[in-house]
Amino acid sequence: MEILLIIRFCCNCTYALLYKPIDRVTRSTLVLHDLLKHTPVDHPDYPLLQDALRISQNFLSSINEDIDPRRTAVTTPKGETRQLVKDGFLVEMSESSRKLRHVFLFTDVLLCAKLKKTSAGKHQQYDCKWYIPLADLVFPSPEESEASPHVHPFPDHELEDMKMKISALKSEIQKEKANKGQSRAIERLKKKMFENEFLLLLNSPTIPFRIHNRNGKSYLFLLSSDYERSEWREAIQKLQKKDLQAFVLSSVELQVLTGSCFKLRTVHNIPVTSNKDDDESPGLYGFLHVIVHSAKGFKQSANLYCTLEVDSFGYFVSKAKTRVFRDTTEPKWDEEFEIELEGSQSLRILCYEKCYDKTKVNKDNNEIVDKIMGKGQIQLDPQTVETKNWHTDVIEMNGIKVEFSMKFTSRDMSLKRTPSKKQTGVFGVKISVVTKRERSKVPYIVRQCVEEVEKRGIEEVGIYRISGVATDIQALKAVFDANNKDILLMLSDMDINAIAGTLKLYFRELPEPLLTDRLYPAFMEGIALSDPAAKENCMMHLLRSLPDPNLITFLFLLEHLKRVAEKEPINKMSLHNLATVFGPTLLRPSEVESKAHLTSAADIWSHDVMAQVQVLLYYLQHPPISFAELKRNTLYFSTDV
């Protein structure tokens, strides 16, 4: 009997303390509904009743969140349904520093929030940093934007160091799992990897996305790709076509709206690999060959070109660009590109109309802004891509159709150095053979490509990083191999990225690296020395140990790359960028078998590339090195460092 009394007492308490207050709000909501039905719209109490109804509805909605986790809407100030259209993590420039925000685009408002730190066991919550009703949101034109002197790009070498650390940590985690290591050790490694990935995600974006409130307040986001900027802009502008009214949210309304974000969000985790499940695809490592064939669907003639982007370490990077096809509605490029993949899972194609009006300059980055005509994205499915045959597809974008083909070559296959069977050419032939035949100190192909780049490509944005058209590169390769008399004429007409790509291909296809197989282990050990004097002596001795044709060509290339880096404010290519591009090409050994102890192409990347980049960077940062002085120096050191 006593137990029954206790149960009844608890039930009464539950009813009185939990259910009864909510029931009152429910009844009040119904009463407010009825009152609004019988209250004239022009009555002074009508807007007050509307506000009361909206607040009570939002309160009940927040109570029901746990019951219906798929709820996708809250109530607007006009009593209509407010739906979440888009959300995602963006980097905001706030108080001269970068902050990672979760941005929510509703049908009538843009809300910028950050995730609150919560203790274990408690529900996560968002804290609203600011909001703009879409009726008050405006986009400044690029030329109207005020420059942002406080936005400084993160140093390239620090970004590359983060990538190398992430790759190394991935390898360590895989080894721990393979050896059935302790879960604590794996969790510790995952935590370190997340910290580096978070920093990379925060510091890598550089593309400005600025929005204004009509009241005068300006907000600036930094994005990694023009694709995202276009997506957000288009989504907002589409909503702004509706009849929107300006409004101000009360503190209670703002709290309810921010509280709803946790349940409404479609992007739950920061886009880093640490947050991926173990069974998710690690992405592709190697080279993706893409042919951009043609495009249709343009309503009027324009100067058109396409860019290709792939994801790498959680953000997207522009990798290739077609030539501009002038004054047409049906451009036919038929251009092939070779794109390096670093754990990539997606390929993006963006189609632009080229702008030649120098007055339309974005003050944030001092570049002429071209108009995006269409954009599309496809997943790189390993089963579809990893075949020897070309896979042709069509990507649709805003009524425009772009036809393209692609095939994939794994990193271990693409990095093999194969000597040429035809020793009369220059590609795949030892550098000593070529210079002896030509009676030159530096191969003709190297001298001509360098001269052409310095003549008209040294200010080209992304020179040596942006892929040239593969068919153009192969055409130049054939001409140099045949020692055709029309080489100079062909060079002067060729796209500069193709010439840069031909130079890279020459060094990549040498039967042994420019810095030789024999000295490779010593270079790896020398760059790891901690004592500056010992490192200097060792690295200079290694140069003296190179065959003369290799050394003279290396020093010639070194001075060229330094001149390219002097134009970094214009071409965006720093010494570290250039070392990243050329380091593996000049040092990667020809013996693939030496990598047999590594388990995957991703391991090859993480273990060796960082050291190869550091070797070239060391010489690029060194004061000018003279061939004559090196040879005059009589100090001898063993290469066994």
Side-chain angles (χ1 to χ4, degrees):
M1 187 68 180
E2 288 179 1
I3 293 173
L4 287 172
L5 288 170
I6 291 170
I7 292 172
R8 183 177 292 174
F9 174 75
C10 289
C11 288
N12 287 337
C13 287
T14 302
Y15 177 81
L17 297 175
L18 298 177
Y19 175 75
K20 198 170 182 178
I22 295 171
D23 184 51
R24 281 180 185 166
V25 177
T26 306
R27 292 187 182 201
S28 299
T29 304
L30 294 172
V31 170
L32 287 167
H33 263 297
D34 290 337
L35 283 171
L36 270 172
K37 281 182 184 178
H38 298 92
T39 304
V41 178
D42 56 353
H43 193 280
D45 290 341
Y46 189 85
L48 296 174
L49 289 169
Q50 270 190 321
D51 287 342
L53 177 61
R54 187 172 69 256
I55 291 169
S56 63
Q57 282 177 329
N58 284 338
F59 173 76
L60 289 173
S61 296
S62 63
I63 295 296
N64 290 331
E65 279 180 350
D66 292 328
I67 300 169
D68 182 13
R70 289 178 293 181
R71 188 178 57 84
T72 60
V74 287
T75 309
T76 68
K78 294 171 71 176
E80 299 169 352
T81 302
R82 172 183 283 140
Q83 294 180 324
L84 179 66
V85 176
K86 179 179 175 62
D87 70 302
F89 289 95
L90 300 180
V91 174
E92 184 189 13
M93 286 302 302
S94 175
E95 298 172 356
S96 299
S97 61
R98 296 169 182 248
K99 309 284 186 182
L100 192 66
R101 305 297 195 206
H102 200 150
V103 181
F104 295 85
L105 175 61
F106 291 93
T107 41
D108 64 337
V109 64
L110 184 74
L111 185 143
C112 180
K114 81 168 201 176
L115 207 56
K116 286 183 178 179
K117 289 183 179 179
T118 54
S119 53
K122 287 193 175 183
H123 283 299
Q124 287 184 313
Q125 290 181 322
Y126 283 101
D127 178 27
C128 177
K129 303 307 296 180
W130 52 264
Y131 73 90
I132 306 178
L134 297 190
D136 289 334
L137 190 153
V138 291
F139 295 107
S141 63
E143 57 271 21
E144 290 173 347
S145 295
E146 295 176 2
S148 302
H150 56 278
V151 180
H152 298 295
F154 209 67
D156 289 320
H157 68 276
E158 293 190 32
L159 293 177
E160 293 299 327
D161 286 348
M162 288 178 204
K163 290 181 185 179
M164 297 301 177
K165 286 177 186 176
I166 292 165
S167 296
L169 287 165
K170 280 182 184 176
S171 298
E172 286 186 53
I173 291 168
Q174 292 304 318
K175 287 175 185 174
E176 285 287 340
K177 287 179 178 178
N179 298 329
K180 296 182 179 178
Q182 294 183 352
S183 57
R184 284 185 180 179
I186 293 172
E187 287 304 313
R188 188 168 62 252
L189 290 169
K190 281 187 174 181
K191 185 179 178 182
K192 283 184 182 177
M193 190 166 85
F194 176 82
E195 289 170 355
N196 279 280
E197 286 189 302
F198 181 84
L199 283 173
L200 187 61
L201 189 71
L202 192 66
N203 293 299
S204 58
T206 57
I207 296 176
F209 176 50
R210 192 187 295 275
I211 56 176
H212 284 318
N213 189 323
R214 289 188 195 279
N215 298 330
K217 181 69 176 172
S218 178
Y219 302 94
L220 176 64
F221 293 105
L222 297 176
L223 309 179
S224 66
S225 166
D226 211 8
Y227 193 99
E228 279 95 20
R229 178 165 62 180
S230 178
E231 271 193 326
W232 280 97
R233 183 187 288 268
E234 286 173 9
I236 292 170
Q237 288 176 334
K238 184 177 179 181
L239 293 170
Q240 287 180 323
K241 290 179 181 178
K242 300 175 182 177
D243 181 25
L244 298 173
Q245 301 295 323
F247 58 85
V248 176
L249 294 173
S250 68
S251 58
V252 175
E253 290 168 339
L254 185 58
Q255 187 176 359
V256 170
L257 180 60
T258 307
S260 71
C261 289
F262 183 78
K263 289 294 179 182
L264 298 179
R265 62 184 180 170
T266 60
V267 180
H268 293 78
N269 296 313
I270 296 170
V272 293
T273 54
S274 324
N275 287 331
K276 291 182 179 178
D277 296 329
D278 292 339
D279 58 351
E280 286 190 57
S281 169
L284 296 172
Y285 289 84
F287 291 87
L288 185 69
H289 301 263
V290 181
I291 301 175
V292 183
H293 295 293
S294 59
K296 294 180 180 179
F298 298 97
K299 294 178 181 178
Q300 56 187 28
S301 294
N303 302 314
L304 304 165
Y305 69 92
C306 287
T307 62
L308 305 179
E309 297 181 350
V310 292
D311 58 309
S312 173
F313 292 89
Y315 62 98
F316 279 80
V317 182
S318 181
K319 288 285 189 177
K321 176 182 174 182
T322 69
R323 70 183 186 277
V324 179
F325 214 99
R326 290 176 176 266
D327 195 25
T328 182
T329 57
E330 294 190 5
K332 293 181 180 179
W333 295 285
D334 290 322
E335 294 180 11
E336 181 185 338
F337 302 93
E338 183 183 74
I339 298 171
E340 187 172 8
L341 305 182
E342 301 168 346
S344 306
Q345 293 180 307
S346 300
L347 168 70
R348 287 174 171 175
I349 300 180
L350 295 89
C351 192
Y352 289 87
E353 178 183 358
K354 181 69 178 175
C355 177
Y356 292 103
D357 186 351
K358 292 183 179 180
T359 62
K360 294 186 177 180
V361 173
N362 189 329
K363 292 183 181 178
D364 281 312
N365 53 20
N366 201 32
E367 292 178 7
I368 295 174
V369 179
D370 295 337
K371 181 182 177 183
I372 291 184
M373 304 297 288
K375 63 188 188 308
Q377 177 174 310
I378 58 165
Q379 294 302 115
L380 297 175
D381 178 16
Q383 292 182 342
T384 304
V385 177
E386 289 181 331
T387 62
K388 292 182 180 179
N389 300 322
W390 287 94
H391 171 71
T392 303
D393 204 347
V394 173
I395 193 165
E396 295 196 25
M397 41 174 83
N398 301 347
I400 299 165
K401 293 182 179 180
V402 175
E403 184 183 359
F404 67 99
S405 300
M406 61 182 178
K407 69 176 180 178
F408 173 74
T409 307
S410 62
R411 185 182 287 278
D412 55 341
M413 291 297 293
S414 60
L415 293 186
K416 287 182 179 177
R417 293 184 185 270
T418 307
S420 174
K421 294 177 182 178
K422 185 181 176 183
Q423 291 295 297
T424 56
V426 295
F427 283 81
V429 180
K430 285 186 177 180
I431 197 167
S432 57
V433 173
V434 173
T435 51
K436 186 176 181 181
R437 186 203 310 142
E438 295 177 351
R439 297 180 181 178
S440 63
K441 293 183 177 181
V442 176
Y444 180 71
I445 182 175
V446 176
R447 286 183 280 121
Q448 289 305 315
C449 288
V450 163
E451 183 179 326
E452 202 64 33
V453 168
E454 293 195 4
K455 187 190 298 181
R456 59 188 179 91
I458 202 163
E459 294 186 353
E460 182 79 11
V461 175
I463 188 69
Y464 290 121
R465 179 176 57 79
I466 298 295
S467 173
V469 179
T471 45
D472 289 347
I473 293 171
Q474 291 302 316
L476 281 171
K477 176 183 175 181
V479 169
F480 275 110
D481 268 340
N483 193 23
N484 193 302
K485 61 181 180 181
D486 295 327
I487 288 176
L488 294 180
L489 181 62
M490 193 171 178
L491 279 174
S492 63
D493 289 339
M494 193 65 73
D495 177 71
I496 198 63
N497 287 317
I499 295 170
T502 303
L503 181 63
K504 289 190 294 179
L505 183 67
Y506 170 73
F507 287 114
R508 200 167 99 194
E509 290 196 355
L510 283 173
E512 77 162 351
L514 186 65
L515 300 189
T516 73
D517 285 328
R518 180 177 64 87
L519 294 176
Y520 181 75
F523 275 113
M524 293 299 97
E525 293 177 28
I527 198 63
L529 292 173
S530 55
D531 180 71
K535 180 183 284 190
E536 167 77 8
N537 288 334
C538 177
M539 299 301 278
M540 290 302 110
H541 174 64
L542 288 171
L543 285 188
R544 285 192 297 274
S545 303
L546 287 170
D548 282 1
N550 297 59
L551 176 57
I552 295 170
T553 302
F554 178 68
L555 295 179
F556 178 81
L557 180 65
L558 207 62
E559 291 309 307
H560 164 63
L561 295 180
K562 288 181 180 181
R563 288 191 289 273
V564 172
E566 287 173 1
K567 300 289 184 178
E568 181 191 353
I570 303 170
N571 62 31
K572 315 297 184 190
M573 294 300 290
S574 64
L575 288 176
H576 198 282
N577 266 339
L578 293 163
T580 303
V581 171
F582 277 93
T585 303
L586 301 179
L587 280 133
R588 174 179 45 78
S590 56
E591 292 297 322
V592 178
E593 289 75 15
S594 65
K595 308 291 188 289
H597 65 285
L598 300 171
T599 58
S600 70
D603 287 338
I604 294 172
W605 173 258
S606 62
H607 283 78
D608 288 351
V609 173
M610 185 175 184
Q612 294 163 6
V613 170
Q614 291 302 318
V615 169
L616 181 55
L617 186 61
Y618 179 85
Y619 292 121
L620 284 171
Q621 292 175 335
H622 197 279
I625 303 168
S626 162
F627 174 80
E629 286 181 15
L630 274 175
K631 290 298 179 180
R632 275 201 302 267
N633 195 325
T634 55
L635 290 173
Y636 293 95
F637 297 89
S638 169
T639 56
D640 298 324
V641 290

